[in-house]
Amino acid sequence: MTRTNPDRIDEELVCVESFAHYLKEKCGCDYVQIEREENDPPDFWLTIRGKKFAAEVTSIVIGRDYTALCEGLMASIEQECKAANILKGKYALRVFMHPEIPKRNSRKWQELLGAAVTAVGATMNMPSAEETCILDDDDGYLAVEKLSCCGDAIGLIGPTDEKWGAEKGVELAELLQKAIEKKRNAIEKKGVLDVCSNVLLLLYDAYGHCNMKDVVEGFQNIGGAEWFHSVYWAASFSNRPNELYPQQPGRGGCILYSKNAQWMGRT
């Protein structure tokens, strides 16, 4: 099993490998069969001790990580515009709330990048211009705005989401709740339950920044986890080899919820 795009980390593969390693080390499951589903959802089919599971993987990105994603998108837009020689003035990439930014180099990422470049090109000869929306979803929107005719650069306005203490815990709980609801809806819409009643939700800490204590506390403040068979958190990097994906280090993790008491460390 190999990743399909050499330019980015296969987060789904790293996450499912972390879960399989946890079952082997903590639960005595000697062999976990993993099969990728090309027409997801689910992302994977797992066979554990002869029992079939559907596994959905989703990345959790906290505030400072989201800002990094926005900065990366801004840099890519600026690079593309300079290569096309259309960056004539000072522009802003405005971020309102937290619209879902697609994975780098994916088809949706290229479409978003193309929309931004088109917006810049359409206003290159104007002294300034009102914002042009390039992404709008239930979580917010992105827009490109020309601020002045000098500068030849793109800056980032927003998001304002650096959080501390209790506020950070609220953010994490909201992200976990959203992941549960989004993945449940996707599974139900696809009809996965018609062929497999055991669904795993595998959460991937995209940057490895979340404190495990904060995750456990945040998870206690959400609802709907019981719809899944188990919820797993792939957390910190470790020194162990990654059995499925040797290019990346393995990850540790823990079960946040499970209908199987043994997986939770209970008897």
PDB file of all heavy atoms in Angstrom, residues 224-243:
ATOM      1  N   GLY A 224     -22.505  12.243  20.370  1.00  0.00           N
ATOM      2  CA  GLY A 224     -22.599  11.516  19.113  1.00  0.00           C
ATOM      3  C   GLY A 224     -21.542  10.465  18.894  1.00  0.00           C
ATOM      4  O   GLY A 224     -21.606   9.717  17.914  1.00  0.00           O
ATOM      5  N   ALA A 225     -20.549  10.383  19.792  1.00  0.00           N
ATOM      6  CA  ALA A 225     -19.477   9.412  19.598  1.00  0.00           C
ATOM      7  C   ALA A 225     -19.997   7.985  19.636  1.00  0.00           C
ATOM      8  O   ALA A 225     -19.448   7.089  18.974  1.00  0.00           O
ATOM      9  CB  ALA A 225     -18.395   9.591  20.661  1.00  0.00           C
ATOM     10  N   GLU A 226     -21.079   7.762  20.384  1.00  0.00           N
ATOM     11  CA  GLU A 226     -21.601   6.407  20.539  1.00  0.00           C
ATOM     12  C   GLU A 226     -22.167   5.843  19.238  1.00  0.00           C
ATOM     13  O   GLU A 226     -22.425   4.637  19.141  1.00  0.00           O
ATOM     14  CB  GLU A 226     -22.679   6.386  21.628  1.00  0.00           C
ATOM     15  CG  GLU A 226     -23.935   7.163  21.314  1.00  0.00           C
ATOM     16  CD  GLU A 226     -23.811   8.658  21.571  1.00  0.00           C
ATOM     17  OE1 GLU A 226     -22.731   9.111  22.018  1.00  0.00           O
ATOM     18  OE2 GLU A 226     -24.795   9.376  21.310  1.00  0.00           O
ATOM     19  N   TRP A 227     -22.360   6.682  18.234  1.00  0.00           N
ATOM     20  CA  TRP A 227     -22.818   6.179  16.930  1.00  0.00           C
ATOM     21  C   TRP A 227     -21.743   5.308  16.292  1.00  0.00           C
ATOM     22  O   TRP A 227     -22.054   4.376  15.552  1.00  0.00           O
ATOM     23  CB  TRP A 227     -23.164   7.352  16.014  1.00  0.00           C
ATOM     24  CG  TRP A 227     -23.775   6.937  14.712  1.00  0.00           C
ATOM     25  CD1 TRP A 227     -25.105   6.715  14.456  1.00  0.00           C
ATOM     26  CD2 TRP A 227     -23.080   6.697  13.477  1.00  0.00           C
ATOM     27  NE1 TRP A 227     -25.280   6.348  13.147  1.00  0.00           N
ATOM     28  CE2 TRP A 227     -24.056   6.327  12.525  1.00  0.00           C
ATOM     29  CE3 TRP A 227     -21.758   6.755  13.080  1.00  0.00           C
ATOM     30  CZ2 TRP A 227     -23.736   6.028  11.196  1.00  0.00           C
ATOM     31  CZ3 TRP A 227     -21.429   6.449  11.769  1.00  0.00           C
ATOM     32  CH2 TRP A 227     -22.408   6.094  10.845  1.00  0.00           C
ATOM     33  N   PHE A 228     -20.488   5.610  16.576  1.00  0.00           N
ATOM     34  CA  PHE A 228     -19.362   4.848  16.034  1.00  0.00           C
ATOM     35  C   PHE A 228     -19.038   3.668  16.941  1.00  0.00           C
ATOM     36  O   PHE A 228     -19.331   3.697  18.133  1.00  0.00           O
ATOM     37  CB  PHE A 228     -18.125   5.739  15.892  1.00  0.00           C
ATOM     38  CG  PHE A 228     -18.299   6.852  14.901  1.00  0.00           C
ATOM     39  CD1 PHE A 228     -18.804   8.090  15.302  1.00  0.00           C
ATOM     40  CD2 PHE A 228     -17.959   6.679  13.573  1.00  0.00           C
ATOM     41  CE1 PHE A 228     -18.973   9.117  14.390  1.00  0.00           C
ATOM     42  CE2 PHE A 228     -18.118   7.711  12.651  1.00  0.00           C
ATOM     43  CZ  PHE A 228     -18.634   8.921  13.061  1.00  0.00           C
ATOM     44  N   HIS A 229     -18.406   2.652  16.363  1.00  0.00           N
ATOM     45  CA  HIS A 229     -17.924   1.556  17.188  1.00  0.00           C
ATOM     46  C   HIS A 229     -16.792   2.040  18.082  1.00  0.00           C
ATOM     47  O   HIS A 229     -16.755   1.743  19.275  1.00  0.00           O
ATOM     48  CB  HIS A 229     -17.423   0.399  16.311  1.00  0.00           C
ATOM     49  CG  HIS A 229     -16.846  -0.746  17.093  1.00  0.00           C
ATOM     50  ND1 HIS A 229     -15.542  -0.732  17.581  1.00  0.00           N
ATOM     51  CD2 HIS A 229     -17.375  -1.922  17.488  1.00  0.00           C
ATOM     52  CE1 HIS A 229     -15.305  -1.860  18.233  1.00  0.00           C
ATOM     53  NE2 HIS A 229     -16.405  -2.601  18.194  1.00  0.00           N
ATOM     54  N   SER A 230     -15.869   2.817  17.482  1.00  0.00           N
ATOM     55  CA  SER A 230     -14.730   3.338  18.231  1.00  0.00           C
ATOM     56  C   SER A 230     -14.263   4.646  17.611  1.00  0.00           C
ATOM     57  O   SER A 230     -14.436   4.878  16.403  1.00  0.00           O
ATOM     58  CB  SER A 230     -13.559   2.341  18.231  1.00  0.00           C
ATOM     59  OG  SER A 230     -13.932   1.102  18.794  1.00  0.00           O
ATOM     60  N   VAL A 231     -13.677   5.486  18.446  1.00  0.00           N
ATOM     61  CA  VAL A 231     -13.064   6.739  17.996  1.00  0.00           C
ATOM     62  C   VAL A 231     -11.612   6.728  18.469  1.00  0.00           C
ATOM     63  O   VAL A 231     -11.349   6.559  19.667  1.00  0.00           O
ATOM     64  CB  VAL A 231     -13.798   7.970  18.542  1.00  0.00           C
ATOM     65  CG1 VAL A 231     -13.114   9.250  18.055  1.00  0.00           C
ATOM     66  CG2 VAL A 231     -15.268   7.951  18.127  1.00  0.00           C
ATOM     67  N   TYR A 232     -10.691   6.929  17.541  1.00  0.00           N
ATOM     68  CA  TYR A 232      -9.257   6.851  17.851  1.00  0.00           C
ATOM     69  C   TYR A 232      -8.581   8.179  17.506  1.00  0.00           C
ATOM     70  O   TYR A 232      -8.925   8.839  16.515  1.00  0.00           O
ATOM     71  CB  TYR A 232      -8.615   5.725  17.032  1.00  0.00           C
ATOM     72  CG  TYR A 232      -7.116   5.609  17.187  1.00  0.00           C
ATOM     73  CD1 TYR A 232      -6.545   4.993  18.300  1.00  0.00           C
ATOM     74  CD2 TYR A 232      -6.254   6.103  16.211  1.00  0.00           C
ATOM     75  CE1 TYR A 232      -5.177   4.879  18.445  1.00  0.00           C
ATOM     76  CE2 TYR A 232      -4.870   5.995  16.344  1.00  0.00           C
ATOM     77  CZ  TYR A 232      -4.339   5.392  17.461  1.00  0.00           C
ATOM     78  OH  TYR A 232      -2.969   5.287  17.593  1.00  0.00           O
ATOM     79  N   TRP A 233      -7.598   8.548  18.310  1.00  0.00           N
ATOM     80  CA  TRP A 233      -6.828   9.786  18.089  1.00  0.00           C
ATOM     81  C   TRP A 233      -5.383   9.429  17.790  1.00  0.00           C
ATOM     82  O   TRP A 233      -4.681   8.878  18.637  1.00  0.00           O
ATOM     83  CB  TRP A 233      -6.903  10.686  19.319  1.00  0.00           C
ATOM     84  CG  TRP A 233      -6.124  11.965  19.198  1.00  0.00           C
ATOM     85  CD1 TRP A 233      -4.830  12.180  19.558  1.00  0.00           C
ATOM     86  CD2 TRP A 233      -6.594  13.204  18.661  1.00  0.00           C
ATOM     87  NE1 TRP A 233      -4.455  13.464  19.293  1.00  0.00           N
ATOM     88  CE2 TRP A 233      -5.524  14.126  18.741  1.00  0.00           C
ATOM     89  CE3 TRP A 233      -7.813  13.623  18.133  1.00  0.00           C
ATOM     90  CZ2 TRP A 233      -5.649  15.442  18.309  1.00  0.00           C
ATOM     91  CZ3 TRP A 233      -7.937  14.936  17.708  1.00  0.00           C
ATOM     92  CH2 TRP A 233      -6.861  15.828  17.795  1.00  0.00           C
ATOM     93  N   ALA A 234      -4.938   9.735  16.574  1.00  0.00           N
ATOM     94  CA  ALA A 234      -3.533   9.557  16.199  1.00  0.00           C
ATOM     95  C   ALA A 234      -2.792  10.829  16.560  1.00  0.00           C
ATOM     96  O   ALA A 234      -3.001  11.876  15.947  1.00  0.00           O
ATOM     97  CB  ALA A 234      -3.409   9.257  14.706  1.00  0.00           C
ATOM     98  N   ALA A 235      -1.924  10.744  17.554  1.00  0.00           N
ATOM     99  CA  ALA A 235      -1.358  11.945  18.163  1.00  0.00           C
ATOM    100  C   ALA A 235       0.105  12.165  17.828  1.00  0.00           C
ATOM    101  O   ALA A 235       0.476  12.445  16.695  1.00  0.00           O
ATOM    102  CB  ALA A 235      -1.571  11.881  19.672  1.00  0.00           C
ATOM    103  N   SER A 236       0.957  11.999  18.834  1.00  0.00           N
ATOM    104  CA  SER A 236       2.355  12.416  18.732  1.00  0.00           C
ATOM    105  C   SER A 236       3.184  11.515  17.826  1.00  0.00           C
ATOM    106  O   SER A 236       2.895  10.335  17.646  1.00  0.00           O
ATOM    107  CB  SER A 236       2.977  12.421  20.136  1.00  0.00           C
ATOM    108  OG  SER A 236       2.868  11.133  20.715  1.00  0.00           O
ATOM    109  N   PHE A 237       4.236  12.099  17.280  1.00  0.00           N
ATOM    110  CA  PHE A 237       5.208  11.327  16.509  1.00  0.00           C
ATOM    111  C   PHE A 237       5.997  10.427  17.456  1.00  0.00           C
ATOM    112  O   PHE A 237       6.170  10.735  18.626  1.00  0.00           O
ATOM    113  CB  PHE A 237       6.172  12.261  15.775  1.00  0.00           C
ATOM    114  CG  PHE A 237       5.501  13.100  14.735  1.00  0.00           C
ATOM    115  CD1 PHE A 237       5.152  14.406  15.018  1.00  0.00           C
ATOM    116  CD2 PHE A 237       5.219  12.587  13.487  1.00  0.00           C
ATOM    117  CE1 PHE A 237       4.531  15.200  14.066  1.00  0.00           C
ATOM    118  CE2 PHE A 237       4.605  13.365  12.520  1.00  0.00           C
ATOM    119  CZ  PHE A 237       4.258  14.676  12.811  1.00  0.00           C
ATOM    120  N   SER A 238       6.468   9.311  16.937  1.00  0.00           N
ATOM    121  CA  SER A 238       7.280   8.409  17.751  1.00  0.00           C
ATOM    122  C   SER A 238       8.494   7.963  16.948  1.00  0.00           C
ATOM    123  O   SER A 238       8.588   8.217  15.745  1.00  0.00           O
ATOM    124  CB  SER A 238       6.460   7.185  18.182  1.00  0.00           C
ATOM    125  OG  SER A 238       6.113   6.398  17.061  1.00  0.00           O
ATOM    126  N   ASN A 239       9.414   7.310  17.613  1.00  0.00           N
ATOM    127  CA  ASN A 239      10.633   6.856  16.943  1.00  0.00           C
ATOM    128  C   ASN A 239      10.482   5.500  16.254  1.00  0.00           C
ATOM    129  O   ASN A 239      11.391   5.061  15.554  1.00  0.00           O
ATOM    130  CB  ASN A 239      11.781   6.761  17.956  1.00  0.00           C
ATOM    131  CG  ASN A 239      12.182   8.128  18.484  1.00  0.00           C
ATOM    132  OD1 ASN A 239      12.122   9.108  17.753  1.00  0.00           O
ATOM    133  ND2 ASN A 239      12.573   8.190  19.747  1.00  0.00           N
ATOM    134  N   ARG A 240       9.370   4.849  16.448  1.00  0.00           N
ATOM    135  CA  ARG A 240       9.202   3.526  15.851  1.00  0.00           C
ATOM    136  C   ARG A 240       9.013   3.629  14.341  1.00  0.00           C
ATOM    137  O   ARG A 240       8.512   4.635  13.823  1.00  0.00           O
ATOM    138  CB  ARG A 240       8.009   2.812  16.478  1.00  0.00           C
ATOM    139  CG  ARG A 240       6.673   3.440  16.119  1.00  0.00           C
ATOM    140  CD  ARG A 240       5.506   2.567  16.554  1.00  0.00           C
ATOM    141  NE  ARG A 240       4.236   3.197  16.207  1.00  0.00           N
ATOM    142  CZ  ARG A 240       3.676   3.105  15.005  1.00  0.00           C
ATOM    143  NH1 ARG A 240       4.264   2.421  14.032  1.00  0.00           N
ATOM    144  NH2 ARG A 240       2.529   3.708  14.767  1.00  0.00           N
ATOM    145  N   PRO A 241       9.377   2.598  13.603  1.00  0.00           N
ATOM    146  CA  PRO A 241       9.164   2.585  12.153  1.00  0.00           C
ATOM    147  C   PRO A 241       7.670   2.547  11.825  1.00  0.00           C
ATOM    148  O   PRO A 241       6.862   2.022  12.590  1.00  0.00           O
ATOM    149  CB  PRO A 241       9.850   1.291  11.703  1.00  0.00           C
ATOM    150  CG  PRO A 241      10.767   0.915  12.811  1.00  0.00           C
ATOM    151  CD  PRO A 241      10.131   1.424  14.072  1.00  0.00           C
ATOM    152  N   ASN A 242       7.324   3.118  10.698  1.00  0.00           N
ATOM    153  CA  ASN A 242       5.954   3.068  10.200  1.00  0.00           C
ATOM    154  C   ASN A 242       5.854   1.855   9.272  1.00  0.00           C
ATOM    155  O   ASN A 242       6.462   1.824   8.210  1.00  0.00           O
ATOM    156  CB  ASN A 242       5.624   4.360   9.444  1.00  0.00           C
ATOM    157  CG  ASN A 242       4.162   4.465   9.069  1.00  0.00           C
ATOM    158  OD1 ASN A 242       3.550   3.515   8.601  1.00  0.00           O
ATOM    159  ND2 ASN A 242       3.594   5.644   9.266  1.00  0.00           N
ATOM    160  N   GLU A 243       5.079   0.857   9.672  1.00  0.00           N
ATOM    161  CA  GLU A 243       5.047  -0.407   8.950  1.00  0.00           C
ATOM    162  C   GLU A 243       4.418  -0.286   7.563  1.00  0.00           C
ATOM    163  O   GLU A 243       4.825  -0.980   6.625  1.00  0.00           O
ATOM    164  CB  GLU A 243       4.276  -1.446   9.769  1.00  0.00           C
ATOM    165  CG  GLU A 243       4.943  -1.776  11.096  1.00  0.00           C
ATOM    166  CD  GLU A 243       4.143  -2.781  11.912  1.00  0.00           C
ATOM    167  OE1 GLU A 243       3.204  -3.371  11.344  1.00  0.00           O
ATOM    168  OE2 GLU A 243       4.456  -2.958  13.103  1.00  0.00           O
TER     169      GLU A 243
END
